[in-house]
Amino acid sequence: MRDGRTTLSKFLIDALDRQCPSRRASGLSALLIDVAASIKTIAATLTRGALDGNYGSARTANVHGEDQKKLDVLTNDIFLQHCEWDGLLAGMVSEEIEHVYQIPPGYPRGEYLLAFDPLDGSSNIDINGAVGSIFSVLRVPQDGAAANTTATSPAAADRSAFLRPGHEQVAAGYAIYGPATMLVLSIGNGTHGFTLERDVGNFVLTHSDIRIPEDTDEFAINASNERFWEPPVRRYVQECKDGKSGCRERDFNMRWIAAMVAEVHRILMRGGVFMYPRDFRSAGRVQGRLRLLYEANPMSFLIEQAGGAAITGRERILDVVPCDLHERVPVILGSKNEVTRIGRYHREHDLGTDRPFSSPLFRERSLFLPETPA
């Protein structure tokens, strides 16, 4: 497949239908075309900006208690309308909906599950900043509630069908709405980028087999939360800030865009590390901030397929088994060698080996009396 010559449809036909004929009836390529249609519609809507009166607050809150923008609600509806009708899905989960979205009775149900964040970085909307959409596709579990199927009438998916580790994803991706609209996708054969050719409405392959450099001099973290970080993250960030004069012996650049899509896209294009680590903001309780099913899992899938790594700090993100549809996790992902280092710092902290040696014999409880002032 050649960059600049291959459309998304041709790419999917070749990768899923021709190379994997046993999966031809699965409909995954058709589902991803529906997702791409959602992204095209959202891109056109965002291009209109404030002209259509879609900026500002919707005066409602989502399941997380966060203020919804008008475009949060609109883009969520766009995804639902494009993907519910064609008999490919058994259910959907969205950041903007509390429970599993059931396929309407008038439409057939299929063998896939879709989880999505319709508009990542929506706090950037009113400043015309970077925003995006994130999605994850799972196959209905064969032993789950949604697998109680007949050939003509599959059962509806329940929440348990979605509560599976990210390594079971069959596809994942995101769209970034910037100077150009890009769709970055993986179906388990690497990570590939497509650019929307607006004149004809096609996504065209422009970045095939993206690879993340294993080393980097760039990291992204919200430094305003430093007082809430765990010691391993403070240690890593301080070493980066110390630059050439510190133990890393080289200078680092720090970035923060406040949109996960934009942060991950930069890493895929030129390397780097993105961190939204554990912190202690909720009544002393340690927790993450990003949602596992439709933020951390799809992004980790893309990063690993591009040769990077993604961890919570203490475990691989794609191995985390969710307990809730909107579960949050810490996220550290990007260039493999830096992510590996941060993981090592967490292990050393948990073992206590990152702390300076302390001897009770020669400190406060010493056999030697302190000198008395003359």
Side-chain angles (χ1 to χ4, degrees), residues 111 139-149 164 168:
E111 60 179 307
R139 196 184 296 272
V140 171
Q142 292 304 305
D143 57 349
N148 297 325
T149 65
R164 289 143 60 205
E168 295 188 20

Side-chain angles (χ1 to χ4, degrees), residues 4 84 197 308 334:
E84 68 183 0
E197 188 176 9

